[in-house]
């Protein structure tokens, strides 16, 4: 349970968790969830309450070494639930959150074994991220889009593999370098901010 006081009354409606708050129970700072030595602090509250991708039950906030590792490798960032959450918050600020949301939806689809559920999830993914009518449409080239359209005739857990790889590559080449150089990441990694003068 979070030890930071939770606002009550009208102030409670206005209070929102910061973009890095693991417990999401108040407007406490993410850094308050860390121990005094910068290591893991208390465990997060019920992950189902998080508006973004939750950490798994029992996961502690990442260590400073883990956070700095995110800046060394995009693969390491994407393997970390905490890293994906921070990166997602960064992408939201860049108005490109749909990229990681699509990637995560594809990962979930790959774990599905029930054929009916596969078809239903594939249709939702298509409508949410591939359809030109969707406000969350991801940017795919025409060849990959045609492949997805062919695959949708009989959806499988791997229907979106090519599209997912293309979006992963886009995030790696385009968004990730900006993330690593962002004030958000530098503050989390406790790295000195670089003046743009």
């Amino acid at each position: 349970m979070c030890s930071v006081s939770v606002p009550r009354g009208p102030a409670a409606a206005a209070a929102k968790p910061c973009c890095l708050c693991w417990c999401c129970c108040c407007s406490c700072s993410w850094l308050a969830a860390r121990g005094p030595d910068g290591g893991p602090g208390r465990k997060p509250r019920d992950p189902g309450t998080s508006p973004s991708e939750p950490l798994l039950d029992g996961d502690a906030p990442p260590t400073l070494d883990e956070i700095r590792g995110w800046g060394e490798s995009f693969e390491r960032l994407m393997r970390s639930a905490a890293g994906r959450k921070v990166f997602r918050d960064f992408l939201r600020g860049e108005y490109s959150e749909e990229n990681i949301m699509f990637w995560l939806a594809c990962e979930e689809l790959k774990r599905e074994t029930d054929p009916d559920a596969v078809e239903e999830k594939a249709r939702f993914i298509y409508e949410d991220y591939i359809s030109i009518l969707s406000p969350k449409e991801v940017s795919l080239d025409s060849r990959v889009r045609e492949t997805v359209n062919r695959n949708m005739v009989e959806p499988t857990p791997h229907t979106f593999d090519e599209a997912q790889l293309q979006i992963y590559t886009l995030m790696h080449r385009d968004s990730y370098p900006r993330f690593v150089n962002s004030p958000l990441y530098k503050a989390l990694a406790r790295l000195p901010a670089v003046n743009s003068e």
Side-chain angles (χ1 to χ4, degrees):
M1 186 152 186
C2 187
S3 60
V4 179
S5 63
V6 178
R8 305 280 182 223
K16 293 184 180 165
C18 68
C19 63
L20 302 173
C21 180
W22 299 122
C23 64
C24 297
C25 63
C26 59
S27 58
C28 60
S29 164
W30 174 75
L31 294 173
R34 302 183 63 73
D37 61 349
R42 62 181 178 273
K43 302 286 185 191
R45 209 171 71 151
D46 175 15
T49 62
S50 173
S52 294
E53 180 192 4
L55 293 180
L56 298 175
D57 238 347
D59 282 354
T63 64
L64 187 57
D65 283 344
E66 287 174 291
I67 293 170
R68 288 184 174 169
W70 301 343
E72 297 166 9
S73 162
F74 184 62
E75 291 76 21
R76 196 176 299 171
L77 171 71
M78 293 295 281
R79 278 196 308 264
S80 163
R84 289 190 303 268
K85 183 192 183 308
V86 173
F87 188 52
R88 178 179 169 183
D89 290 336
F90 170 78
L91 292 177
R92 184 180 301 124
E94 289 209 325
Y95 304 101
S96 58
E97 182 184 16
E98 67 278 356
N99 289 331
I100 195 164
M101 295 304 298
F102 169 69
W103 187 87
L104 290 167
C106 292
E107 287 296 292
E108 185 180 327
L109 178 66
K110 287 179 188 177
R111 293 190 294 270
E112 188 56 66
T113 55
D114 177 52
D116 291 334
V118 165
E119 184 165 349
E120 183 180 5
K121 286 182 180 182
R123 302 252 174 246
F124 279 127
I125 291 171
Y126 188 89
E127 290 169 13
D128 281 352
Y129 303 106
I130 308 296
S131 170
I132 58 171
L133 302 175
S134 173
K136 297 184 287 186
E137 179 190 7
V138 294
S139 179
L140 299 171
D141 66 35
S142 58
R143 183 191 62 79
V144 171
R145 191 172 287 280
E146 286 171 18
T147 301
V148 168
N149 287 336
R150 280 196 307 273
N151 291 345
M152 284 301 293
V153 174
E154 289 186 41
T156 72
H158 299 282
T159 292
F160 302 102
D161 282 1
E162 278 194 67
Q164 185 186 22
L165 178 60
Q166 189 167 86
I167 294 303
Y168 183 91
T169 303
L170 174 70
M171 291 190 293
H172 187 185
R173 291 182 181 164
D174 186 52
S175 304
Y176 177 66
R178 288 196 302 277
F179 168 73
V180 170
N181 289 306
S182 71
L184 167 69
Y185 175 71
K186 289 186 181 299
L188 287 176
R190 300 183 188 170
L191 298 172
V194 178
N195 290 335
S196 56
E197 297 174 16

